[in-house]
Amino acid sequence: MTDQVVHSAVQPFSARAALPWAVGLVVYALLLVAGPRLLGDPDSYSHIALGRWIIAHGTLPASDPFSFSKHGAPWITFEWLSEVIYAAAYALAGWPGVVAIAAAAIALAFGLFTHVLLRELPPILTLLMVIAAIVLLAPHMLARPHVLVLPLMVAWAAALVRCMDRGGPPPYWALPLLILWANLHGSGVLALGLIGPVVLEALLREEPSQWPRVLLHWLPFTALALAASCLTPHGPEPLLMPLTTLGIGSALAWIGEWRPQDFGHIGGFEILLLGSIFALSRGVTLPVVRVLVVMGLLHFALAQIRNADLLAMLAPLYLAAPLGRTFGGPAGSDVAGSSRGLTLAALCVFVAISAVGLARDLRPAPSITPEAAVDKGGLAGPARVLNDYSFGGYLIFAGIPTFIDGRAELYGGPFIERYNRDLALTDLGDFLKLLDEYNIGATLLAPRTPAVALLDRLPEWQRVYSDDVAIVHKRRDTPQR
């Protein structure tokens, strides 16, 4: 009898229970190794600078404090909590701390992602989906606010999908996730949009006479979800930020992550898309609502490169149960809980990996860090600087007012369009007009920018510094601010 009691108290090691931990730790370790890759976006600089501003002032800005071209214009930061987190990580551990925070959030998202898929799918198919998601998400794995919300997105979507799979009640326990989401990143409207497929599938399962009951069942949850998403310092305004950004229109085509997918060459997105079409053609039957969701996610991913994240992390959650019914799912209805020893071992490995990662000397990519040009070109002086778009984040970080930076919602479509046309010398006269209109006294541009060659030939401008990253020109008679 004693042996039986001891045996029942000690759970045997479960490879399936360990798989989410293993995936999360491997992803975390790989991201720390690839640390500089996470610091390859200029917005990492500006998010830290804004977080420091918020901490120093004890409030959130209501107007632009960082540029001279839009200084004082109405503007809110809809990612304030992420920026404070990144600024605190930078203050405590420098750039390695920023990388560790971003990597931990991505790793946690993939750990949860694996755990959820294992409820419906065998380990091999789960791992294939995890690998596909990593490939799709890899270009956008950056130390920016969107990665901090990935675990919340997976947890929220998984809670809703479980209601679709099991026909359960609304997941009221998940509502606090929306408060965090709304303050970490401006994509909270997506969370509200994911409620729609759950309700639609619930309606299609019932006779029309039962539809009022279904709607009344989900109405309070939807109202509370909307209220939770509005619990920000700016109220519901962050929910409108995606619409504000999309309202920029054709100017978004100048920004890499907002461009459509490029099928001019074979890439990971195309390979996975074609492979998925082939796999789903092998006799898989999908509920109509799941098909609509995946089609919507695919449309977003094709329309803008950055939305491949959504396709990577959400589509598998909606497909898991139908695929499990076709290809065979796990033996049980849920993943066995991990033992206390397994959890402790995973945490120890996490701490060890973190210690090694934090000991590294990491810096953002040189291509977005014109430190030498700013220093040796004397750009910390009073002259207004017409900067390359990719240098805006560093200038904000260095305390130098920018002409333009990554806050597209602040500058608007016409401003961005004009800036890019003028620097490409599409309209030579307007470029010269822009220099005078904004009283530009210096330029900080990438070497391949067409305007550089023109400035070299203008008698009133002088090249004062150049390297592989940036070229500095100054007016011979520099205007003052």
Side-chain angles (χ1 to χ4, degrees):
M1 177 66 72
T2 303
D3 291 340
Q4 292 178 348
V5 172
V6 172
H7 180 72
S8 63
V10 180
Q11 295 180 352
F13 176 79
S14 171
R16 294 185 69 252
L19 188 57
W21 290 106
V23 168
L25 290 173
V26 168
V27 169
Y28 183 60
L30 291 175
L31 290 176
L32 290 187
V33 170
R37 173 67 183 79
L38 272 69
L39 299 177
D41 190 282
D43 287 351
S44 295
Y45 274 121
S46 55
H47 288 306
I48 292 172
L50 185 49
R52 293 191 301 194
W53 191 98
I54 294 171
I55 294 171
H57 291 79
T59 187
L60 303 184
S63 61
D64 169 44
F66 296 120
S67 78
F68 66 84
S69 57
K70 293 289 184 178
H71 185 75
W75 174 76
I76 64 168
T77 171
F78 50 94
E79 300 164 333
W80 71 272
L81 184 55
S82 292
E83 288 156 343
V84 169
I85 291 172
Y86 278 129
Y90 181 82
L92 291 173
W95 290 111
V98 174
V99 168
I101 289 290
I106 298 170
L108 177 58
F110 275 103
L112 290 172
F113 183 73
T114 305
H115 174 77
V116 173
L117 293 183
L118 282 173
R119 293 173 177 170
E120 309 292 344
L121 301 172
I124 294 298
L125 188 51
T126 294
L127 282 177
L128 288 175
M129 286 195 165
V130 169
I131 293 170
I134 290 174
V135 171
L136 287 178
L137 192 62
H140 212 207
M141 290 183 183
L142 300 163
R144 286 173 46 187
H146 71 277
V147 301
L148 299 187
V149 86
L150 285 177
L152 303 178
M153 182 177 73
V154 172
W156 172 256
L160 294 176
V161 171
R162 194 162 179 80
C163 294
M164 299 172 75
D165 294 337
R166 305 289 189 265
Y172 285 93
W173 64 266
L175 290 174
L177 299 177
L178 298 188
I179 302 175
L180 274 176
W181 189 333
N183 289 281
L184 285 169
H185 192 249
S187 58
V189 67
L190 169 66
L192 299 179
L194 294 179
I195 299 175
V198 192
V199 178
L200 180 57
E201 191 159 285
L203 290 172
L204 294 179
R205 279 198 301 260
E206 301 289 345
E207 296 292 331
S209 61
Q210 297 298 315
W211 287 0
R213 178 185 62 80
V214 173
L215 292 175
L216 289 175
H217 190 59
W218 282 92
L219 184 60
F221 176 79
T222 304
L224 289 174
L226 177 60
S229 298
C230 293
L231 293 179
T232 76
H234 302 291
E237 196 169 351
L239 290 175
L240 304 177
M241 290 310 300
L243 298 178
T244 303
T245 302
L246 291 174
I248 294 173
S250 60
L252 287 176
W254 294 97
I255 305 173
E257 66 181 354
W258 287 99
R259 294 172 185 161
Q261 294 289 339
D262 179 13
F263 292 106
H265 61 279
I266 297 293
F269 184 93
E270 183 176 359
I271 293 172
L272 289 173
L273 176 59
L274 295 175
S276 299
I277 293 173
F278 176 79
L280 293 176
S281 69
R282 313 309 293 173
V284 179
T285 301
L286 299 177
V288 63
V289 176
R290 312 295 176 104
V291 173
L292 293 175
V293 170
V294 174
M295 288 175 60
L297 293 171
L298 181 58
H299 166 75
F300 290 139
L302 290 171
Q304 281 122 19
I305 292 173
R306 62 180 287 152
N307 289 330
D309 302 9
L310 305 182
L311 183 66
M313 303 301 286
L314 295 181
L317 302 182
Y318 286 90
L319 296 176
L323 291 177
R325 288 192 291 268
T326 301
F327 297 110
S333 61
D334 211 337
V335 179
S338 58
S339 67
R340 181 181 301 176
L342 176 60
T343 302
L344 182 60
L347 291 176
C348 289
V349 174
F350 173 80
V351 171
I353 296 173
S354 300
V356 174
L358 292 173
R360 299 181 64 196
D361 182 20
L362 296 176
R363 290 179 62 82
S367 60
I368 61 170
T369 310
E371 184 175 8
V374 169
D375 182 30
K376 297 179 181 179
L379 297 183
R384 289 184 167 188
V385 180
L386 175 65
N387 62 281
D388 190 277
Y389 179 86
S390 62
F391 298 154
Y394 177 78
L395 291 184
I396 291 177
F397 186 81
I400 299 173
T402 63
F403 181 83
I404 194 170
D405 51 72
R407 297 170 295 162
E409 74 282 355
L410 168 66
Y411 295 100
F415 185 95
I416 296 172
E417 289 270 18
R418 182 190 183 191
Y419 165 83
N420 283 286
R421 285 197 314 268
D422 286 357
L423 264 65
L425 299 184
T426 302
D427 188 337
L428 177 59
D430 194 61
F431 173 67
L432 298 176
K433 180 182 176 181
L434 181 143
L435 294 175
D436 293 334
E437 180 181 335
Y438 286 94
N439 206 22
I440 302 298
T443 65
L444 177 69
L445 302 174
R448 295 184 179 181
T449 305
V452 167
L454 176 63
L455 290 168
D456 282 336
R457 291 166 174 77
L458 293 177
E460 65 268 31
W461 288 86
Q462 178 183 11
R463 181 186 290 216
V464 298
Y465 179 82
S466 64
D467 58 24
D468 294 339
V469 176
I471 294 175
V472 177
H473 287 84
K474 283 191 171 182
R475 283 189 193 258
R476 296 184 188 276
D477 182 19
T478 303
Q480 301 297 310
R481 290 180 188 170

